[in-house]
Amino acid sequence: MSGATVEIPPRSGDAFRMAKGDSLTVIDPRGRQVADLLAFNADDLDEVISSGRTLDYAETIRLTKGHKLYSNRSRVMLEIIEDTVGMHDFLLTPCSVDTFDHFYPDLPRHRGCFGNLAAALEPYGVVPDRIPVAFNCFMNVPIDGATGKLEVLPPLSGPGDHIRFVAHMDLVIGLTACSAPASNGGSFKPIEYRVEQA
Amino acid sequence: MSGATVEIPPRSGDAFRMAKGDSLTVIDPRGRQVADLLAFNADDLDEVISSGRTLDYAETIRLTKGHKLYSNRSRVMLEIIEDTVGMHDFLLTPCSVDTFDHFYPDLPRHRGCFGNLAAALEPYGVVPDRIPVAFNCFMNVPIDGATGKLEVLPPLSGPGDHIRFVAHMDLVIGLTACSAPASNGGSFKPIEYRVEQA
């Protein structure tokens, strides 16, 4: 499957393995869409991507080319090697039934990225309680430095923008095309990805 | 033990239960010290405090009186009912052997808040891989809104400053007197806490 581009339909998710050295390109084909990304050590699912470790080592919340994404055991899982957008979020957990109830009480309920990730990762042995803060590709969450307030704004990504990672260990990846209106400017669009061998 | 004030010695940690309705007061007796706080559902340790859920619902990283701390299942675990400081961190994971190697390569290694929390929580059945981003009482981590850069500065807390929480469910709590030089202005001091029944 090296090099094949896979589409994740709107408001859904996928999961797959990638080997150490493989690259993963996440593409926003139409622009202004978000993809929540999770990573687990394929040989030990208790090792999982950690926002807190990553932000601590990076000393910034604005992660882009050259930054490494760390696990809860302080080991590098993924490294960002290309980034045509430069604005992603690593503060917020995937949207869920509960966040839909909270933010969109007048809209039909949806299981959200959380439910989509849980369903996609279940065959790999990941249970829902192990879903942490995701690396939210293209998600635009500026913070007001003076007040601490955060906003969820439409992504800055245009059609074809992408972010590319290289795996530093064998991984199970979860990835979504986001389901929450606020994070993608009110519309639901697909996401594409491509895994390429080293 | 209602009302008894307990001291956590410098660079150490403690764990204890509190019942729904109990309050927990975390006190900085000498000023400019940090206390990492974790919370687990006492009846089901797979339910754990979640920075991502909390920040999403609060729409701010500056949590203070009136804000609720949520679990990974979107339920309220703790609510802040008093706060004499107004500056705490909920972005970073507890310092550890690995963070000491990273940030303080010339200092003696220390197991840090992570190791202290793991040791204190072990009798309650919490394993190290389940330690998430902590609510870091008094930790001063400003973010530059324009660049995203974060800094770890000395706390704004003075002697006797405190933060008080009420429990919304039966909890196992982990709490430290922080071990990392940067987070407390370069010195190591105790933390005090008090649990009071409703």
Side-chain angles (χ1 to χ4, degrees), chain B residues 1-6 23-27 192-196:
Chain B
M1 65 170 281
S2 184
T5 299
V6 181
S23 75
L24 165 66
T25 307
V26 180
I27 305 150
E192 294 176 352
Y193 71 89
R194 188 166 56 238
V195 175
E196 291 166 290

Side-chain angles (χ1 to χ4, degrees), chain B residues 3-15:
Chain B
T5 299
V6 181
E7 182 187 274
I8 303 177
R11 306 189 101 181
S12 72
D14 201 356

Side-chain angles (χ1 to χ4, degrees), chain A residues 15-22 24 37-45 47-49 69 71 75-79 121 124 165-174 195:
Chain A
F16 51 90
R17 292 180 188 274
M18 55 187 294
K20 180 178 178 177
D22 288 354
L24 166 65
L37 183 150
L38 295 178
F40 298 83
N41 177 344
D43 298 318
D44 183 350
L45 297 173
E47 184 166 15
V48 56
I49 195 167
L69 307 187
S71 76
R75 300 199 309 157
V76 178
M77 302 190 99
L78 291 161
E79 179 177 347
L121 288 163
Y124 295 89
F165 309 86
V166 63
H168 281 243
M169 63 175 74
D170 293 349
L171 295 171
V172 171
I173 297 288
V195 175

Side-chain angles (χ1 to χ4, degrees), chain B residues 22-23 26 35-36 68 71 82 95 103 112 115 120 130:
Chain B
D22 287 353
S23 75
V26 180
D36 289 10
K68 294 167 178 169
S71 76
E82 296 178 20
C95 59
F103 290 110
R130 295 290 173 273

Side-chain angles (χ1 to χ4, degrees), chain B:
Chain B
M1 65 170 281
S2 184
T5 299
V6 181
E7 182 187 274
I8 303 177
R11 306 189 101 181
S12 72
D14 201 356
F16 50 90
R17 290 180 190 274
M18 55 188 295
K20 180 177 178 176
D22 287 353
S23 75
L24 165 66
T25 307
V26 180
I27 305 150
D28 182 357
R30 301 189 194 167
R32 299 177 75 174
Q33 174 58 310
V34 165
D36 289 10
L37 182 150
L38 295 178
F40 299 83
N41 177 344
D43 298 319
D44 183 350
L45 297 173
D46 283 334
E47 183 166 15
V48 55
I49 194 167
S50 169
S51 62
R53 286 277 173 254
T54 300
L55 300 180
D56 200 10
Y57 292 132
E59 301 183 60
T60 179
I61 62 167
R62 195 77 58 80
L63 301 168
T64 186
K65 181 178 175 179
H67 283 119
K68 294 167 178 169
L69 307 187
Y70 286 83
S71 76
N72 56 332
R73 297 179 189 165
S74 281
R75 301 199 307 156
V76 178
M77 302 189 100
L78 291 160
E79 180 178 347
I80 303 172
I81 57 173
E82 296 178 20
D83 179 10
T84 65
V85 179
M87 179 65 86
H88 316 280
D89 171 68
F90 207 7
L91 300 182
L92 305 181
T93 31
C95 59
S96 69
V97 165
D98 303 295
T99 56
F100 271 79
D101 287 346
H102 181 94
F103 290 110
Y104 313 107
D106 297 331
L107 294 185
R109 296 182 99 195
H110 193 277
R111 67 181 185 179
C113 288
F114 186 89
N116 288 327
L117 287 163
L121 288 163
E122 191 277 336
Y124 295 89
V126 176
V127 298
D129 281 333
R130 295 290 173 273
I131 294 179
V133 173
F135 183 81
N136 303 303
C137 304
F138 316 125
M139 192 171 184
N140 182 10
V141 184
I143 290 182
D144 182 315
T147 66
K149 286 196 178 298
L150 63 84
E151 289 186 284
V152 178
L153 299 181
L156 303 180
S157 47
D161 269 327
H162 67 274
I163 182 169
R164 189 174 181 214
F165 309 86
V166 64
H168 281 243
M169 62 175 76
D170 294 348
L171 295 171
V172 170
I173 297 288
L175 192 66
T176 69
C178 185
S179 310
S183 66
N184 50 36
S187 69
F188 306 117
K189 287 161 285 194
I191 283 290
E192 294 176 352
Y193 71 89
R194 188 166 56 238
V195 175
E196 291 166 290
Q197 290 173 3

